[in-house]
């Protein structure tokens, strides 16, 4: 250890002399043509290190004693008492240091021929060195990236999707084959109305694929959505059913607005191409079905269900557990999700043309008499229902999402019956203003908890019930914010597509 | 019931994937819609199904007891439905923009115009 340490130190002295002295004392070379002062970021770190060395050398004990003894303990394996000072007196260690310096200086002065010899012979050696290994690894990485790229990212989007879905099917099927002992769930009884509903959704799905015109496909897609809403209603999810009904209505309206003038899609792919796509799609569907059956046999219900079922009323004062999860236990997720919806709506607005002139919006085609007549009575009623859904959401099916969607659908109904200008007048403000207000309300309902020292978005409740309204709390405020954001986003989308397609 | 529903979800996925692989952008839009439906139903069904018992604590009691539908997948799916709507609308706006700016209804042509900006690719 002593000998190799000595040799390394000697070489270090040579290197430092070369770097430190040669620029000032050596002969000038022509290589540094554009020499200039280094920027601060380059000379600051060495300066810092050098001044640290000086400071620590002058008063070693308070600064580094703990550090060095820790390192010594780790290296030596037992506690070592260290004496740190700048001057220890004449000792073997000092003599060794002096010898190192002398040998280094001598090697610097007289060792040039030896170094030249070494450089000549080390050319073959460096082919095996770490630098060569590093460079060949980089080359390999580049090659790997290029070949992966040409496999996955070549050509049209749909060919990439084909690769993705094929790979997904193989992975899913492979896992299922390896875990061959997955127990499948015992089949439960199928009631007649459920079978009819499933058949309806299946037929509507087929209709979406094979529909001759875009509007027919929109109608089939809507039927799929309504069928799924009924499934939600049958299997204990009234909140989902209401949300799905409202969303499906709005989706069909938007799709019909855009696609009513679109031409039927032409068949562009060859028969063999269609056959290949159908095979990939069918294999993917089969693997999903098998996976779902295998999963259904393994797990029944989430482990968290019990916690939510027990904590909803005592901790969050709500009887509708789904709504409690949305506005209290997982409120931060919900906040993120309404921000996503906001971004989608604003992004759609940004993709559009310049705002159509208000005159164009007024000149919308007149709706049928019955629609105009019905809207007069239906819209106020629907708005009232939406507020009712919002307020009761914490204890019964409903809530901000559902209520907001119902309100947006009612304003959209008004827009279709009496023109978008009338709908805008009823709204009295721009949809984006609703979005902003809603986001501000949700955020401030969370900050109320922060103000009283609790984590962000903790539910805070009035200690005593307020007359008529019952107990009030920040989760209700949060849900009102969600309600406003959903109305604003949905109507922003509706007005955007309505204006784009009227002109 | 679970076998029939699993078959339906598989069918929805197959239809969605087939439509996503079409060259006609219109059908890709419908494919995205079906994909959203399939995934919502998958998340809802994967935790097991319960008939008729929503996770709502009855008045006068403090906890759910007996058999009740799992509330967690429902909360996940509820927000997914709304986000899927936003996504669908965004795709629709993209479609409209592509159709309005250069009359592209073909996903292959779309890929070429955006990647290499080759003029006149349609």
């Amino acid at each position: 250890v002593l000998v190799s340490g000595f040799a390394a130190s000697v070489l270090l002295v040579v290197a430092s002399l070369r770097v430190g002295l040669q620029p000032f004392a050596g002969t000038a070379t022509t290589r540094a043509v554009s020499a200039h002062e280094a920027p601060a970021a380059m000379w600051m770190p060495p300066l810092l290190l050098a001044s640290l060395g000086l400071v620590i050398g002058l008063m070693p004990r308070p600064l580094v004693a703990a550090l060095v003894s820790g390192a010594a303990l780790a290296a030596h394996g037992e506690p070592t008492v260290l004496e740190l000072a700048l001057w220890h007196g004449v000792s073997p260690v000092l003599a060794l240091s002096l010898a190192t310096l002398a040998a280094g200086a001598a090697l610097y002065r007289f060792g040039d021929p030896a170094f030249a010899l070494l450089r000549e012979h080390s050319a073959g050696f460096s082919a095996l060195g770490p630098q060569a290994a590093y460079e060949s690894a980089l080359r390999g990485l580049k090659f790997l990236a290029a070949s992966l790229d040409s496999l996955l990212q070549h050509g049209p989007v749909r060919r990439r999707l084909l690769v993705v879905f094929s790979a997904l099917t193989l992975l899913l099927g492979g896992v299922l084959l390896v875990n061959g002992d997955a127990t499948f769930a015992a089949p439960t009884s199928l009631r007649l109305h459920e079978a009819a509903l499933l058949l309806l959704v299946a037929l509507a799905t087929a209709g979406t694929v094979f529909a001759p015109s875009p509007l027919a496909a929109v109608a089939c897609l809507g039927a799929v959505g309504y069928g799924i809403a009924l499934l939600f209603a049958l299997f204990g999810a009234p909140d989902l059913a209401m949300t799905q009904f409202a969303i499906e209505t709005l989706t069909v309206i938007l799709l019909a607005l855009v696609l009513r003038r679109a031409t039927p899609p032409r068949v562009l792919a060859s028969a063999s191409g269609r056959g290949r796509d159908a095979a990939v799609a069918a294999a993917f569907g089969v693997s999903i079905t098998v996976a779902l059956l295998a999963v259904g046999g393994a797990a029944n219900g989430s482990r968290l269900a019990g916690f939510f079922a027990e904590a909803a009323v005592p901790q969050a004062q709500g009887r509708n557990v789904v709504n409690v999860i949305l506005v209290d236990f997982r409120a931060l997720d919900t906040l993120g999700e309404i921000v996503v919806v906001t971004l989608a709506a604003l992004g759609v607005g940004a993709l559009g043309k310049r705002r159509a002139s208000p005159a164009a919006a007024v000149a919308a085609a007149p709706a049928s008499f019955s629609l105009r007549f019905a809207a007069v009575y239906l819209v106020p009623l629907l708005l009232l229902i939406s507020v009712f859904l919002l307020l009761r959401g914490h204890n019964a099916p409903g809530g901000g999402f559902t209520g907001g969607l119902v309100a947006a659908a009612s304003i959209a109904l008004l827009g279709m019956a009496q023109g978008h200008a009338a709908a805008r007048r009823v709204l009295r403000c721009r949809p984006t203003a609703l979005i902003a207000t809603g986001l501000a309300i949700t955020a401030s309902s969370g900050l109320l908890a922060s103000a009283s020292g609790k984590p962000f978005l903790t539910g805070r409740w009035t200690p005593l019930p307020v007359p008529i309204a019952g107990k009030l709390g920040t989760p209700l405020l949060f849900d009102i914010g969600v309600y406003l954001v959903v109305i604003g986003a949905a109507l922003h989308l509706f007005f955007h597509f309505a204006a784009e397609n009227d002109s | 019931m679970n076998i029939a529903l699993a078959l339906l979800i598989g069918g929805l996925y197959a239809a969605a994937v087939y439509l996503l692989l079409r060259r006609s952008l219109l059908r890709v839009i419908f494919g995205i819609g079906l994909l959203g439906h399939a995934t919502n139903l998958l998340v809802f069904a994967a935790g097991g199904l319960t008939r008729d018992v929503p996770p709502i604590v009855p008045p006068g009691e403090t906890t759910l007891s007996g058999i009740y539908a799992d509330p967690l997948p429902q909360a996940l799916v509820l927000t997914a439905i709304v986000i899927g709507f936003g996504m669908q609308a965004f795709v629709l706006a993209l479609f409209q923009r592509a159709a309005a700016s250069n009359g592209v209804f073909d996903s292959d042509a779309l890929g070429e115009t955006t990647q290499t900006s080759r003029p006149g690719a349609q």
Side-chain angles (χ1 to χ4, degrees), chain B residues 98-122:
Chain B
S101 58
N102 48 4
V104 170
F105 290 96
D106 180 351
S107 79
D108 288 10
L110 190 72
E112 282 169 17
T113 44
T114 51
Q115 277 182 355
T116 61
S117 64
R118 190 185 307 164
Q122 193 161 8

Side-chain angles (χ1 to χ4, degrees), chain A residues 317 459-467 469-476:
Chain A
Q317 326 242 2
R460 309 290 289 156
W461 294 86
T462 52
L464 292 171
V466 176
K471 275 193 165 184
L472 293 179
T474 53
L476 178 65

